[in-house]
Amino acid sequence: QVQLVESGGGLVQAGGSLRLSCTTDTLTFSKNDIGWFRQSPEKEREFVAVKKWNDGNIYGDSVKGRFTISGDWSKNAVNLQMNNLKPEDTAVYYCAARRGLLSVQTVRDESTYDAWGQGTQVTVSS
């Protein structure tokens, strides 16, 4: 069973930065699509970003230009650098994995992801 572990969440003031990391010992990240989603109590789960197995990166509209997803294959990790954070970025952030050969058209569809982490809380104060 694939186990994903997120880290790096916390409390930060608006305009600040955080770096989330997703790691696993049970999957080779470089051969899969690794995505980040987020969910706050009043909203449905939202697509944030994905690193495609073939090195393409795709971002949700609300984070474009502020968040950067990257892979560190030496550590089998996918990181999410979050800059210029806003209070509306407050949520639990989840990483998820799916087979790399799935269509790029479906990266925002959470049902296409097979494995999920437990989530890490990000809180941005105004």
Side-chain angles (χ1 to χ4, degrees):
Q1 184 175 357
V2 175
Q3 293 182 327
L4 308 180
V5 179
E6 303 98 337
S7 61
L11 173 65
V12 65
Q13 289 188 334
S17 298
L18 282 175
R19 184 171 178 262
L20 306 183
S21 183
C22 177
T23 60
T24 183
D25 292 331
T26 54
L27 186 70
T28 302
F29 272 0
S30 61
K31 296 181 180 180
N32 293 270
D33 293 349
I34 308 301
W36 285 93
F37 290 78
R38 67 186 183 187
Q39 187 167 22
S40 55
E42 63 272 18
K43 295 182 180 179
E44 294 183 352
R45 190 171 293 184
E46 176 188 15
F47 169 78
V48 175
V50 67
K51 184 161 188 63
K52 286 284 291 172
W53 72 276
N54 58 355
D55 214 29
N57 298 335
I58 299 169
Y59 297 92
D61 290 342
S62 62
V63 306
K64 280 180 183 177
R66 300 187 298 123
F67 291 12
T68 302
I69 191 169
S70 63
D72 184 346
W73 305 142
S74 67
K75 298 180 180 179
N76 203 36
V78 171
N79 303 314
L80 185 69
Q81 178 66 40
M82 307 186 295
N83 298 329
N84 190 22
L85 282 161
K86 304 175 181 180
E88 52 264 43
D89 294 319
T90 295
V92 177
Y93 283 70
Y94 300 90
C95 72
R98 69 176 206 168
R99 291 181 291 120
L101 294 180
L102 293 177
S103 170
V104 67
Q105 303 298 325
T106 62
V107 295
R108 293 173 174 80
D109 183 353
E110 63 179 274
S111 70
T112 64
Y113 291 79
D114 305 306
W116 292 81
Q118 293 298 310
T120 185
Q121 177 70 46
V122 170
T123 302
V124 184
S125 63
S126 57

